[in-house]
Amino acid sequence: MKPLNLKMSAFGPYKDEVEIDFQKLGSNNIFLITGDTGAGKTTVFDAIVYALYGQTSGGNREGNMMRSQYASEDTDTYVEYVFSYRGQEYTVRRNPEYLRVGKRRKADGSLRYVKETAKVSLLFPDGREY
């Protein structure tokens, strides 16, 4: 499996959408993920493993714990991972269960929160979705 692209939105320490295009990193097929303590390096691995398996890389955190505490209430939480396997491109998108602001307000005008259920989608090279 070769990573091609990773998008994280309101995931871990990232409050907005962050995209890593592995294809722009060169053709040497080797990547170095580096940075200061707390910079979010482990979150990159957590996002890939979460997209594929529904849990984080260390197994210490569940997916529903990965919503960023810094994200605005109307920002969707998800991970989208694009990879190639045997020359074919696959896309997996997964979101944890979390509370989000509803489209309608309560009768008194206050915000209404609704539970976004956990979902996963796998897009095959031929366009089929599982």
Side-chain angles (χ1 to χ4, degrees):
M1 176 179 12
K2 180 179 178 181
L4 301 176
N5 191 283
L6 177 67
K7 285 183 190 173
M8 301 172 279
S9 177
F11 190 81
Y14 304 112
K15 69 177 190 151
D16 297 315
E17 184 179 86
V18 174
E19 183 174 0
I20 301 171
D21 187 348
F22 292 100
Q23 297 176 93
K24 288 185 178 179
L25 299 177
S27 60
N28 294 330
N29 295 325
I30 188 166
F31 308 107
L32 174 65
I33 297 177
T34 183
D36 294 336
T37 300
K41 300 177 298 292
T42 302
T43 305
V44 172
F45 296 108
D46 282 343
I48 292 170
V49 173
Y50 177 71
L52 294 171
Y53 304 108
Q55 58 188 13
T56 59
S57 60
N60 297 333
R61 295 171 293 230
E62 294 298 319
N64 61 358
M65 297 171 63
M66 294 307 295
R67 175 156 170 86
S68 175
Q69 63 185 356
Y70 308 111
S72 65
E73 295 173 330
D74 59 345
T75 301
D76 290 334
T77 300
Y78 66 88
V79 173
E80 185 176 279
Y81 179 51
V82 181
F83 61 94
S84 68
Y85 178 70
R86 295 186 178 180
Q88 301 283 329
E89 191 172 299
Y90 297 83
T91 302
V92 62
R93 182 179 170 118
R94 186 184 300 264
N95 69 274
E97 181 178 284
Y98 64 95
L99 290 177
R100 65 169 174 78
V101 175
K103 293 182 171 87
R104 293 178 280 150
R105 294 183 176 255
K106 293 181 181 177
D108 65 1
S110 63
L111 294 176
R112 184 175 63 90
Y113 291 90
V114 294
K115 187 184 292 187
E116 184 70 33
T117 59
K119 296 180 190 118
V120 63
S121 168
L122 174 62
L123 191 62
F124 289 95
D126 63 4
R128 289 181 299 125
E129 184 175 6
Y130 177 77

